[in-house]
Amino acid sequence: MIGTDAPRATDETTDDESTTIDIEDVSLSFGDHDVLEDVSIGVESGEFVGLVGPNGAGKTTLLRAISGALEPDTGRIAINGTDVHEVGSRTSSRLVAVVPQDTSLSFSFPVRDVVAMGRHPHRSRFSTPDQHDREAVDDALERTRTTDLAERPIDEVSGGQRQRVVLARAIAQETPALLLDEPTASLDINHQIETLELVRELLADGQAVVAAIHDLTLAARYCDRLALLADGGVHSVGSPAAVLSTDALSTAFDATATVTTNPVTGTETVTALPNESLETDVLSSVESDSSQSAGQSTRQVSGRPSNPRVHVLGSGTTAAGALARLETATVDPAADDEDDDRECGDDDRGDGNGEDAVSESAALEVSVGPVARGSVAADLADQFATDSVIVNPFTALSSEHRERIDDWLRAADVVVLADADGGSRDGPGAFLERLETADSFVPEHTVVVTDRSSVADRAVGDGGSGWRYDQCREQGYEATVETVFEAVGASLEDRVGSDRLE
Amino acid sequence: MYAPVRTLSWSVGLAVVLVGVMIASAALGPVRIDPTVVAMAILNAIVVPTGVVFDGSVTIPGLEWGLPVPGLEYASVFKFAVPDTHQTIVGDIRLPRIALAAVVGFALAAAGTVMQGFFRNPLADPSIIGVSSGAAAGAVAAIAFPTLVPFASLHLSAFVGALGAAFLVYAIATEGGRTPVATLLLAGVAIQAFLGAMISYMLVHSGDDLRQAVLWMMGRLNYSTWSDVGFALPVSLLGVTVLCAYTRELNVLLLGEEDAHHLGVNVERTKILLLALASVVTAAGVAVAGVIGFVGLVVPHIMRLIVGPDHRILLPTSALAGASFLVATDTIARAGPAEVPVGIVTAALGAPFFLFLLTRKEVHSV
């Protein structure tokens, strides 16, 4: 709580050399509303821990508890062995500096004066700034590249510069721990990167940094570890790769998202997708329909009616996009028949881990292949546990793989031909040509996904795509990655309609 | 960039201006006196204590003998040759009033600076937490219903009323050891409204005392005595001196309370201290001079436009400028075409000057 002035433990540090923020079993509530429950996280010196989680998960509250601004109901938060809630604000402000989400800086103090305010905890009431104070301010200005702005009034610098000034203030404070609340929230991409690069530089000095970061991709890229907060507790703590999984994101954020490895940074990139769901009647009709006609399906979930089957044939980002869209689309719970629904719910609770949340509610049985190992599509197939044939690049398809794809194509209610350059010699069209079972393949039951930009460019029939691909484009549905799920739904509906007529 | 040198030079400069304004003021009036004579007369009026005498006694119930009260013996430092009439006019008639104007202006401008910074609100003035209303209520009660008020003097009644109102506002706005600024502001508005009603009621029933009460509320420095100065000067000087030691905290508080906490400011304790001191300083000024508006609101703004928002330089310069401002306006009120309450002059001159500055330079919110 602000202003509690407990007896001072002046500069008492433990023998431990490495800075540590120790958060032990911290619970905190606002009135009846529990914001944090039994949160425990430790941060080592030189480590950058990102707090991620949905709005209202308690990220800011946890930061405020660490800074000493909010006193937890139970638990303990120590920095360098000193409980920040046991000491006065003067002592705690020598241990931890805060870069708040927004600072009210609507007055015209020169930038240098604002940074110099970071020295406040170190100065006695009547002293003038000494050599070290001045050096600390100059150093902070230099590190944040704000030296040129030093004499400018703070209310006349841009948002990005202002953020750096506030960071400079925190640097000038020379604390072992640094907390940042959404340091990149209002910055453009260039300043986001600049700010976080700067924070990483600080780690070399042994500061322990904790930041609440909304942008999961940025968090994954810059943080050593992430703590995923959800529903007041710590969902998971660990490396970005370990914490950011599709399942975790679905549980914590209630969001449909895919996690892929960014080819440039080599870190996790999170892409949220709209929650698409299939219309009720289509699903149930197809279910009964497909169980008759696609009897040879090799892969029925025991005890449950199979969902419409879709095979994605293609490669590259287009196939990956189509796959992600199809895998993340869900069935409206009301779509299931009532008994089944209840059964599902019980299953869920019985499992207790909620990890199959995504696959459980998937509307479609999707298969994909062949895709190249290491490609985005292969990554995603892995992530969604999609039935897939993943081949090593530059190798021929084995007969075993070819048979599996044949089976899937035969069983599929809809085949999605997904390739930005579908008409090329190596595209899905050419693949279809070589396929033995291609005769049983119905062009009407296909969705051809084309790159948005290339739909108009490419005329039907040019290139070496072959007549089957052209037939698909003429008789099937055409879609973009964004609309692929809609098109599949429409195709299924068509199929139901025509089957009923027959 | 803040530099102590800059603060010092501005303060010394403004102090010189203040002395000049005071001399000029003492020279003006129905009887015009040469400024050099005025300066000598003023120096003659300066006395220093030379010894302690026990010339009085108070009786305490239960004690058989009276307790001797220490008093000070004074001696003049300078003995310039000044005509007796001029010495009397300057030293006994004009100077007490001028000195009191300086003290009250000093106090109100300093308190206004602190309140504007504290509330981070450009509309804040020294009376924002009900100090002036409390003083007015106390004074009007003492004027209209002297039998009901336990205090002998009007000043004391106003002073107690002022501090009582401030304390009441603070107590209402504080919950669980925390005093949110917004609550404080609103509680201040409510208490002021309530006290306003009480004052109006008392005025309605004040009968023959109405004129005196209304004049008090307009703020006036007539009938000023050295004892008024003796009361207001030490209180304001002490208060403003301590406030000057807290200007760094006041700066950091501008960032917001949580930021201030993170920068090592003991927020609640600093808030109590700033509020209490600003209220006491305001109460001292208002109790002796009545409700003089505008000084505490406008002078800090003017100085902020000139020296910037840094309280380390803003507070002392505002206080000194406020002193000069009130001496100058009171001179006009006193020596102008017709004697009017000084509150009328401060507003009538301050407002246009402030508007002029507004059009010249963009005003930043505190």
Side-chain angles (χ1 to χ4, degrees):
Chain A
M1 179 195 279
I2 293 178
T4 21
D5 196 28
R8 279 179 191 168
T10 39
D11 291 343
E12 67 173 44
T13 47
T14 54
D15 301 330
D16 196 359
E17 278 293 301
S18 70
T19 298
T20 311
I21 303 173
D22 262 325
I23 304 163
E24 291 166 19
D25 304 322
V26 166
S27 298
L28 202 155
S29 58
F30 292 138
D32 294 336
H33 178 57
D34 294 332
V35 185
L36 298 174
E37 277 178 279
D38 288 334
V39 173
S40 297
I41 303 171
V43 185
E44 297 299 318
S45 163
E47 191 183 29
F48 186 0
V49 171
L51 299 180
V52 295
N55 291 331
K59 300 190 295 288
T60 300
T61 306
L62 181 56
L63 285 181
R64 293 176 71 197
I66 301 172
S67 76
L70 282 178
E71 191 157 17
D73 303 332
T74 58
R76 177 176 186 270
I77 294 171
I79 296 171
N80 265 2
T82 305
D83 189 330
V84 290
H85 297 100
E86 299 264 296
V87 295
S89 54
R90 194 174 165 83
T91 307
S92 70
S93 61
R94 289 177 187 177
L95 293 171
V96 54
V98 181
V99 177
Q101 195 166 357
D102 44 9
T103 302
S104 54
L105 289 168
S106 55
F107 44 87
S108 47
F109 274 95
V111 164
R112 184 185 294 275
D113 285 8
V114 174
V115 176
M117 286 180 189
R119 298 304 299 166
H120 185 82
H122 298 278
R123 291 176 51 190
S124 66
R125 181 165 305 287
F126 298 104
S127 72
T128 49
D130 64 17
Q131 185 65 24
H132 181 71
D133 288 327
R134 278 191 294 271
E135 277 170 11
V137 171
D138 285 340
D139 181 52
L141 286 168
E142 208 167 297
R143 297 183 84 153
T144 53
R145 294 136 187 102
T146 45
T147 310
D148 294 345
L149 307 172
E151 312 308 326
R152 294 255 301 274
I154 185 71
D155 54 351
E156 287 174 21
V157 303
S158 74
Q161 292 168 337
R162 174 182 294 217
Q163 185 70 25
R164 280 186 290 161
V165 172
V166 179
L167 187 57
R169 189 186 79 195
I171 293 172
Q173 219 169 322
E174 294 185 326
T175 53
L178 175 64
L179 309 178
L180 305 114
D181 192 1
E182 303 291 352
T184 57
S186 56
L187 302 182
D188 63 40
I189 49 166
N190 178 34
H191 285 112
Q192 287 181 342
I193 299 303
E194 214 170 79
T195 303
L196 291 173
E197 289 285 346
L198 194 62
V199 171
R200 286 229 59 103
E201 284 172 29
L202 297 176
L203 300 173
D205 298 348
Q207 274 199 312
V209 181
V210 179
I213 301 181
H214 251 307
D215 189 324
L216 298 172
T217 303
L218 274 179
R221 184 165 158 196
Y222 284 99
C223 298
D224 299 313
R225 282 194 297 152
L226 295 183
L228 177 58
L229 300 184
D231 298 325
V234 179
H235 182 278
S236 51
V237 186
S239 70
V243 170
L244 298 180
S245 68
T246 307
D247 290 343
L249 296 178
S250 143
T251 316
F253 288 87
D254 193 22
T256 308
T258 64
V259 183
T260 49
T261 304
N262 187 308
V264 181
T265 61
T267 53
E268 286 66 33
T269 300
V270 177
T271 313
L273 296 167
N275 287 317
E276 289 184 288
S277 60
L278 206 54
E279 271 178 47
T280 322
D281 59 330
V282 172
L283 182 69
S284 48
S285 321
V286 174
E287 261 170 25
S288 52
D289 173 68
S290 62
S291 54
Q292 285 163 15
S293 66
Q296 68 243 77
S297 168
T298 52
R299 173 178 145 281
Q300 266 204 355
V301 181
S302 57
R304 295 185 60 194
S306 67
N307 287 338
R309 297 191 54 90
V310 178
H311 185 80
V312 178
L313 191 60
S315 65
T317 51
T318 314
L323 175 62
R325 294 278 173 169
L326 294 174
E327 275 287 19
T328 55
T330 54
V331 191
D332 192 349
D336 276 354
D337 131 320
E338 235 182 297
D339 290 338
D340 191 34
D341 190 25
R342 204 170 297 141
E343 202 181 305
C344 268
D346 287 346
D347 272 358
D348 239 3
R349 248 167 271 134
D351 286 352
N353 52 17
E355 270 181 9
D356 331 49
V358 170
S359 47
E360 198 89 60
S361 57
L364 307 166
E365 298 288 345
V366 186
S367 53
V368 63
V371 288
R373 190 173 306 284
S375 68
V376 190
D379 264 14
L380 284 172
D382 204 34
Q383 199 181 122
F384 291 118
T386 309
D387 293 319
S388 57
V389 166
I390 298 174
V391 295
N392 291 322
F394 311 116
T395 54
L397 199 59
S398 70
S399 58
E400 184 199 342
H401 280 157
R402 185 174 293 276
E403 264 171 43
R404 273 172 72 185
I405 293 171
D406 267 359
D407 281 349
W408 286 338
L409 280 174
R410 232 179 278 120
D413 296 305
V414 178
V415 172
V416 176
L417 303 178
D419 201 290
D421 201 10
S424 79
R425 197 163 296 279
D426 307 317
F431 188 85
L432 281 181
E433 288 303 303
R434 295 195 294 269
L435 216 55
E436 281 169 30
T437 54
D439 289 336
S440 64
F441 168 77
V442 191
E444 283 90 342
H445 298 158
T446 57
V447 171
V448 180
V449 180
T450 46
D451 199 12
R452 258 162 300 186
S453 57
S454 59
V455 175
D457 296 352
R458 214 180 297 119
V460 171
D462 63 350
S465 59
W467 65 273
R468 280 178 184 153
Y469 186 74
D470 292 341
Q471 234 185 344
C472 294
R473 283 193 70 181
E474 274 162 15
Q475 296 169 16
Y477 280 83
E478 239 177 325
T480 63
V481 171
E482 267 76 31
T483 59
V484 63
F485 184 71
E486 247 172 77
V488 167
S491 173
L492 285 170
E493 221 165 324
D494 260 9
R495 178 127 184 218
V496 173
S498 61
D499 282 359
R500 274 185 191 148
L501 282 177
E502 283 163 20
Chain B
M1 177 73 189
Y2 167 77
V5 178
R6 184 161 173 254
T7 306
L8 199 67
S9 44
W10 268 100
S11 301
V12 170
L14 284 166
V16 170
V17 169
L18 175 60
V19 171
V21 170
M22 287 174 81
I23 292 173
S25 173
L28 294 172
V31 179
R32 299 219 166 189
I33 304 170
D34 187 70
T36 49
V37 178
V38 170
M40 287 189 286
I42 290 174
L43 289 174
N44 284 345
I46 294 175
V47 290
V48 288
T50 51
V52 181
V53 289
F54 294 93
D55 54 358
S57 67
V58 286
T59 23
I60 288 174
L63 284 179
E64 285 175 21
W65 62 90
L67 276 178
V69 175
L72 293 173
E73 232 176 11
Y74 296 98
S76 297
V77 183
F78 302 99
K79 292 188 169 58
F80 293 106
V82 174
D84 278 353
T85 49
H86 287 180
Q87 182 66 48
T88 308
I89 290 173
V90 172
D92 297 345
I93 300 173
R94 290 184 187 167
L95 207 50
R97 178 167 180 166
I98 291 166
L100 194 67
V103 169
V104 170
F106 183 84
L108 291 180
T113 308
V114 172
M115 291 297 192
Q116 285 171 7
F118 181 94
F119 283 99
R120 273 170 281 155
N121 187 332
L123 287 176
D125 74 355
S127 312
I128 192 154
I129 58 165
V131 178
S132 291
S133 300
V140 171
I143 293 167
F145 307 100
T147 49
L148 297 178
V149 179
F151 306 110
S153 92
L154 177 61
H155 294 349
L156 193 58
S157 177
F159 190 67
V160 169
L163 291 186
F167 181 77
L168 189 63
V169 169
Y170 179 79
I172 290 170
T174 303
E175 204 187 332
R178 297 199 56 187
T179 316
V181 166
T183 319
L184 203 57
L185 202 67
L186 292 173
V189 170
I191 292 294
Q192 284 190 57
F194 178 75
L195 288 172
M198 279 179 59
I199 293 165
S200 298
Y201 178 85
M202 288 191 286
L203 286 178
V204 166
H205 294 281
S206 59
D208 295 342
D209 299 319
L210 179 65
R211 185 182 157 78
Q212 199 200 341
V214 169
L215 281 178
W216 189 93
M217 288 202 297
M218 286 179 179
R220 85 279 170 272
L221 291 157
N222 332 15
Y223 324 117
S224 306
T225 62
W226 282 116
S227 77
D228 293 343
V229 179
F231 166 72
L233 181 67
V235 175
S236 353
L237 261 189
L238 191 70
V240 174
T241 306
V242 178
L243 283 173
C244 277
Y246 276 84
T247 47
R248 213 142 44 88
E249 272 86 348
L250 206 46
N251 282 345
V252 176
L253 272 174
L254 283 181
L255 300 174
E257 290 185 17
E258 194 154 316
D259 273 25
H261 173 76
H262 292 149
L263 290 170
V265 174
N266 188 333
V267 174
E268 291 303 328
R269 202 178 64 186
T270 307
K271 275 162 68 182
I272 292 179
L273 192 123
L274 290 174
L275 265 191
L277 283 174
S279 298
V280 167
V281 165
T282 308
V286 173
V288 293
V291 184
I292 298 176
F294 229 65
V295 180
L297 176 69
V298 162
V299 172
H301 276 300
I302 292 172
M303 289 316 294
R304 197 173 283 117
L305 289 174
I306 298 171
V307 302
D310 190 335
H311 286 99
R312 286 170 296 186
I313 180 167
L314 181 61
L315 183 59
T317 52
S318 282
L320 288 167
S324 295
F325 179 79
L326 198 57
V327 171
T329 45
D330 185 51
T331 308
I332 295 167
R334 171 170 62 86
E339 169 133 15
V340 290
V342 66
I344 294 176
V345 183
T346 56
L349 287 182
F353 181 54
F354 186 51
L355 288 175
F356 166 72
L357 277 179
L358 275 183
T359 55
R360 290 289 301 277
K361 205 170 169 182
E362 191 188 337
V363 170
H364 304 279
S365 59
V366 184

